[in-house]
Amino acid sequence: MKVITGIKKMQLWNKGVRKKGETIGFVPTMGYLHQGHLSLMRRAKKENDRLVVSIFVNPTQFGPGEDFKRYPRNFKRDQRLSRACGADVIFHPQAKKMYPPDFKTYVEVGKLGERLCGRSRPGHFRGVTTIVNKLFNIVQPDTAYFGQKDAQQAIIISRMAQDLNLPLKIKVLPIVREKDGLAMSSRNTYLSADARKNAIILYKSLQTAVGMIQSGYNSPREIIFKMREMINSKPGAKIDYIKIVDARTLKEVKRLEGRLLIAVAVYFNKTRLIDNKVVQSYKRKKNGLYRRR
Amino acid sequence: MKVITGIKKMQLWNKGVRKKGETIGFVPTMGYLHQGHLSLMRRAKKENDRLVVSIFVNPTQFGPGEDFKRYPRNFKRDQRLSRACGADVIFHPQAKKMYPPDFKTYVEVGKLGERLCGRSRPGHFRGVTTIVNKLFNIVQPDTAYFGQKDAQQAIIISRMAQDLNLPLKIKVLPIVREKDGLAMSSRNTYLSADARKNAIILYKSLQTAVGMIQSGYNSPREIIFKMREMINSKPGAKIDYIKIVDARTLKEVKRLEGRLLIAVAVYFNKTRLIDNKVVQSYKRKKNGLYRRR
């Protein structure tokens, strides 16, 4: 396994690989790898001749006052884990090479980036789409793998790839959870023992919401009310948002119809956790039966 | 020579070419080809194994009330000219395929796109960078060729390519002029016989400006005043802007130092013409001699 820090070097490496007719799977990460990342890497390695993992804590997707500086880093451990998953290259560029002083270009997906997490984190998704676009141009993968944990990010990146005709496939893989249901996240390391225990409530509230939808509850308000109640029962939990949105447009729905994304963001002290579930809702027909939309 | 309209088909064609280890030169155009375009095509063909020309009148770079609908089109003639320059493919997509109804992603270069023509044409360069980015992803050239006639566009696209780490080279070739000095443009076809004659004043005023700078004039204001006087002397000419800017940042300069871009935009009736000159200015030293910056 190679560690490549130079942008041109990375592009040269790909050129060589493509010349041999080999395919490249790509997993972009901010490092501090967990089982979620590893599931992406294993799948990417299985489906491609070569696996490139990028490790780069991207400054442009952090707002002022966010955790850019203290974001957890452990490059040695990341190297070991990547190697174990069969990575051929870790691309690990320097921020000053990715964003030289005269850097000016950004990629934006409009409204999609202003909803949900975009409301609490203005500019975040502009940072994400820009860095992912850059990484795609540098790594030139055949397929790139993202986690459903960052549901909005996955939707936005898929949108960008389609709109800009990027010559690659995007695959989004399921959330990997701890045994008790907490979604894996590099930020879980910030949690105190108490907060760690209480944080399960995100998953539990999502399960409850899915149950309510499947048993015929029809009002997003009622479901969100219930979720809010559950989360607020945990000391130290501060809700950022609880939303039920159309899984494609991310617009809030008034009726539970079609493919829905239930998304939550909750602070425990300064640590902001997110989680989500996608659910296919059924529509109640006049005769009292449900039908699939 | 092939005409390809499908996006996926174009991407497949490139894949085949690259597999053979051949290089692709690319000339993106809005069609109604003139000698300026042809000079790019000939150079691209000379420097690459394959030449792809795109012909697409891009709706997102026209503002409301601009000439999108009446922009001149002649696909048959364009085909003939492209073939004569050795084009292997004309990529000629449909607008509804390039911009499907749920299209949302744009590429922007910030302030660079708000200066000069960007002031008179808000959103224009956002449309340009977005379509060029898309075309680059579809055609995947080794080198793309642009004309110096659209100086700001060339600077912005070079900036985008660098910032987003696009795996290609950008080359900018000199303005091709009519015998009397008028810069070639598809829009020249709009001009009445009188306006056509008067339009030479753009070039003449630029020549005068260069002469003034080279003979030691030090004040942009004086030079712009002279240019304004010359252009206003022509009936029907309505100045949009005359600017002397830093050739890299496009910021207006107060002193004539370094590499300068002198840029003009002038309306003749509804037809907006642009032209420019790049000039290396000399700085007067205290002892009265000039030295190169």
Side-chain angles (χ1 to χ4, degrees):
Chain A
M1 187 187 73
K2 271 188 185 180
V3 175
I4 297 180
T5 54
I7 293 170
K8 291 277 171 238
K9 266 199 187 153
M10 188 70 238
Q11 285 174 323
L12 270 178
W13 185 89
N14 311 326
K15 230 180 184 169
V17 166
R18 279 204 315 280
K19 228 176 223 165
K20 288 189 262 175
E22 295 179 340
T23 59
I24 298 173
F26 178 43
V27 179
T29 82
M30 300 213 298
Y32 212 75
L33 304 176
H34 53 64
Q35 290 297 328
H37 298 116
L38 305 190
S39 76
L40 303 179
M41 288 159 64
R42 288 192 202 102
R43 175 76 163 270
K45 182 67 181 188
K46 202 174 132 192
E47 297 182 346
N48 297 273
D49 300 314
R50 302 295 194 132
L51 166 58
V52 176
V53 178
S54 69
I55 295 183
F56 180 62
V57 183
N58 172 36
T60 63
Q61 72 190 69
F62 289 83
E66 286 187 1
D67 56 345
F68 172 63
K69 280 208 176 140
R70 64 179 192 121
Y71 194 85
R73 292 159 169 92
N74 187 341
F75 189 62
K76 278 211 172 147
R77 185 169 163 274
D78 290 346
Q79 271 184 284
R80 203 175 63 237
L81 292 169
S82 304
R83 192 194 308 267
C85 290
D88 295 277
V89 172
I90 294 183
F91 179 56
H92 185 52
Q94 290 181 285
K96 67 181 178 192
K97 298 286 180 182
M98 293 297 269
Y99 299 106
D102 48 357
F103 184 91
K104 285 187 179 62
T105 310
Y106 288 89
V107 180
E108 297 198 63
V109 291
K111 290 264 180 281
L112 274 183
E114 294 164 18
R115 302 201 168 103
L116 302 178
C117 291
R119 275 177 93 153
S120 333
R121 309 184 67 187
H124 169 68
F125 287 110
R126 188 179 88 141
V128 169
T129 41
T130 302
I131 191 65
V132 170
N133 193 289
K134 282 167 67 70
L135 289 169
F136 284 173
N137 287 329
I138 295 168
V139 174
Q140 293 170 65
D142 296 87
T143 308
Y145 298 79
F146 294 86
Q148 172 63 18
K149 177 15 194 36
D150 300 299
Q152 187 175 12
Q153 171 178 282
I155 288 167
I156 283 175
I157 286 170
S158 301
R159 180 81 261 157
M160 170 182 80
Q162 197 177 321
D163 284 353
L164 296 183
N165 311 106
L166 291 168
L168 49 84
K169 276 198 216 93
I170 303 288
K171 291 201 179 176
V172 181
L173 303 194
I175 299 179
V176 177
R177 299 182 178 281
E178 302 285 356
K179 273 190 186 153
D180 63 1
L182 180 68
M184 298 256 181
S185 164
S186 305
R187 287 189 171 103
N188 291 347
T189 188
Y190 295 149
L191 297 170
S192 68
D194 274 356
R196 169 65 190 80
K197 261 193 287 177
N198 289 330
I200 314 168
I201 198 64
L202 274 77
Y203 180 56
K204 287 200 170 154
S205 71
L206 287 165
Q207 279 185 309
T208 300
V210 171
M212 287 172 83
I213 292 173
Q214 283 171 346
S215 68
Y217 272 81
N218 214 344
S219 148
R221 274 186 58 197
E222 275 177 80
I223 294 168
I224 290 169
F225 185 85
K226 176 68 187 162
M227 292 176 76
R228 185 175 304 276
E229 207 176 52
M230 289 177 74
I231 296 171
N232 279 337
S233 78
K234 295 293 172 186
K238 214 187 110 207
I239 294 168
D240 179 12
Y241 67 75
I242 304 174
K243 303 253 181 194
I244 304 181
V245 299
D246 181 290
R248 201 178 53 83
T249 64
L250 300 181
K251 275 188 204 163
E252 281 183 73
V253 295
K254 283 175 190 161
R255 283 186 200 182
L256 298 176
E257 281 179 19
R259 239 177 116 247
L260 302 171
L261 174 72
I262 318 173
V264 297
V266 178
Y267 284 96
F268 285 90
N269 294 317
K270 281 186 180 174
T271 304
R272 189 172 173 279
L273 301 179
I274 58 174
D275 200 349
N276 69 84
K277 279 266 187 193
V278 173
V279 59
Q280 185 71 40
S281 86
Y282 297 80
K283 195 180 174 185
R284 188 189 290 269
K285 275 181 83 175
K286 281 192 182 152
N287 60 12
L289 296 172
Y290 301 110
R291 78 183 158 82
R292 193 148 206 151
R293 295 276 299 179
Chain B
M1 188 188 72
K2 271 186 184 180
V3 174
I4 296 180
T5 55
I7 292 169
K8 291 277 170 236
K9 266 200 186 153
M10 189 69 236
Q11 286 175 322
L12 269 179
W13 186 88
N14 310 326
K15 228 177 184 173
V17 166
R18 277 202 318 278
K19 227 175 223 168
K20 288 189 262 177
E22 295 180 340
T23 60
I24 298 174
F26 177 43
V27 180
T29 82
M30 299 213 298
Y32 212 75
L33 304 176
H34 54 65
Q35 289 297 326
H37 297 116
L38 305 191
S39 75
L40 303 179
M41 288 160 63
R42 285 190 203 103
R43 176 77 162 270
K45 182 68 181 187
K46 202 175 132 191
E47 297 181 346
N48 297 275
D49 301 314
R50 302 296 194 130
L51 167 59
V52 176
V53 178
S54 68
I55 295 181
F56 180 62
V57 183
N58 173 36
T60 63
Q61 71 189 71
F62 289 82
E66 285 187 4
D67 56 346
F68 173 63
K69 281 209 175 141
R70 65 183 190 117
Y71 195 87
R73 290 158 171 94
N74 188 339
F75 190 63
K76 279 212 171 146
R77 184 168 164 275
D78 290 346
Q79 271 183 284
R80 202 174 63 237
L81 293 169
S82 304
R83 192 194 308 268
C85 290
D88 296 276
V89 172
I90 293 182
F91 178 55
H92 185 50
Q94 289 180 286
K96 66 181 177 191
K97 298 285 180 183
M98 293 298 268
Y99 298 106
D102 49 357
F103 184 90
K104 285 188 179 61
T105 310
Y106 288 90
V107 180
E108 297 198 67
V109 291
K111 290 261 178 284
L112 275 182
E114 293 164 18
R115 302 200 168 104
L116 303 177
C117 291
R119 276 177 91 153
S120 335
R121 307 185 69 189
H124 169 67
F125 287 110
R126 188 179 89 140
V128 169
T129 40
T130 302
I131 191 65
V132 171
N133 193 287
K134 282 167 68 69
L135 289 169
F136 284 174
N137 287 329
I138 296 168
V139 175
Q140 294 171 63
D142 296 87
T143 309
Y145 298 79
F146 293 86
Q148 173 62 21
K149 172 25 187 31
D150 299 299
Q152 186 174 10
Q153 171 178 282
I155 288 167
I156 282 175
I157 286 170
S158 302
R159 181 80 260 157
M160 170 182 80
Q162 199 177 320
D163 285 351
L164 296 183
N165 310 106
L166 292 168
L168 49 83
K169 276 199 214 92
I170 303 288
K171 291 200 179 176
V172 181
L173 303 193
I175 298 178
V176 177
R177 299 181 178 282
E178 303 284 355
K179 272 190 185 150
D180 63 2
L182 180 68
M184 298 258 180
S185 164
S186 305
R187 287 188 171 101
N188 291 348
T189 188
Y190 295 149
L191 297 169
S192 69
D194 274 357
R196 170 66 190 82
K197 261 192 288 178
N198 289 331
I200 314 168
I201 198 63
L202 274 76
Y203 180 56
K204 287 198 169 157
S205 71
L206 286 166
Q207 280 186 308
T208 300
V210 171
M212 287 173 82
I213 291 171
Q214 282 170 347
S215 69
Y217 272 82
N218 214 342
S219 149
R221 275 186 57 197
E222 275 178 81
I223 294 168
I224 290 170
F225 184 86
K226 177 67 189 165
M227 291 176 76
R228 184 175 305 277
E229 204 176 56
M230 288 177 74
I231 295 171
N232 279 337
S233 78
K234 296 293 174 185
K238 212 186 109 208
I239 294 168
D240 179 11
Y241 68 76
I242 305 174
K243 302 254 180 193
I244 304 181
V245 298
D246 180 289
R248 202 178 52 85
T249 63
L250 301 180
K251 276 188 204 165
E252 281 181 73
V253 295
K254 283 175 188 161
R255 283 185 200 181
L256 298 177
E257 281 177 22
R259 240 177 115 249
L260 301 170
L261 175 72
I262 318 172
V264 297
V266 177
Y267 285 96
F268 285 90
N269 294 316
K270 283 187 181 174
T271 305
R272 188 172 173 280
L273 301 179
I274 57 175
D275 201 348
N276 68 84
K277 279 266 187 192
V278 173
V279 60
Q280 186 73 38
S281 86
Y282 297 80
K283 193 179 175 186
R284 189 189 292 268
K285 276 181 83 175
K286 281 190 181 154
N287 60 12
L289 295 172
Y290 300 109
R291 80 182 156 83
R292 192 146 207 158
R293 293 277 298 178

